[in-house]
Amino acid sequence: QVQLVESGGGLVQAGGSLRLSCVFSGSIFRINAMGWYRQAPGKQRELVAAITSGGRLNYADSVKGRFTISRDNAKNTVYLQMNSLKPEDTAVYSCAVGIRGTLSPKDYWGQGTQVTVSS
């Protein structure tokens, strides 16, 4: 099993920045992909960004150039740096990790953290 704990959400004005963190523990040797998803009220969950252990990246078109996913293997942590935030980025952001090496990791999930961007 793998446990994930997110942090870093909050309220920010449009144009501002936030950095989300996700620390994972447990059977981490199995993890070979990490990602962030978001779900806004009334909308389906969508993949925001993902990274594999080999360094492959995947970003949603809506966040390209504004968000950056990165990882710190020594700290068992994956980050999502969010810049130039827009009100439409408001959502619950969830970290997920995978053991299949895909750019849409879904095997284990965190509890989610709220990001609210005010206009």
Side-chain angles (χ1 to χ4, degrees):
Q1 286 286 38
V2 177
Q3 296 78 43
L4 299 92
V5 178
E6 300 112 329
S7 61
L11 173 64
V12 64
Q13 288 189 331
S17 298
L18 282 175
R19 188 176 79 157
L20 305 182
S21 300
C22 175
V23 180
F24 43 91
S25 59
S27 300
I28 60 174
F29 64 93
R30 305 176 66 195
I31 297 170
N32 51 29
M34 293 149 274
W36 289 93
Y37 293 76
R38 69 185 180 187
Q39 187 167 22
K43 295 188 177 181
Q44 288 190 333
R45 183 173 62 199
E46 64 172 345
L47 176 68
V48 176
I51 184 170
T52 68
S53 57
R56 289 187 299 146
L57 298 170
N58 185 25
Y59 289 99
D61 288 342
S62 59
V63 307
K64 284 180 180 176
R66 300 189 298 122
F67 291 11
T68 302
I69 189 170
S70 63
R71 68 183 192 271
D72 185 331
N73 293 331
K75 295 182 178 180
N76 297 330
T77 302
V78 59
Y79 302 99
L80 185 68
Q81 178 65 46
M82 305 185 292
N83 299 328
S84 302
L85 282 160
K86 305 175 181 180
E88 51 263 43
D89 294 319
T90 295
V92 174
Y93 285 71
S94 299
C95 173
V97 298
I99 61 174
R100 308 168 203 276
T102 69
L103 281 168
S104 57
K106 299 176 183 177
D107 293 298
Y108 300 95
W109 292 85
Q111 80 285 358
T113 185
Q114 177 70 46
V115 171
T116 303
V117 184
S118 63
S119 57

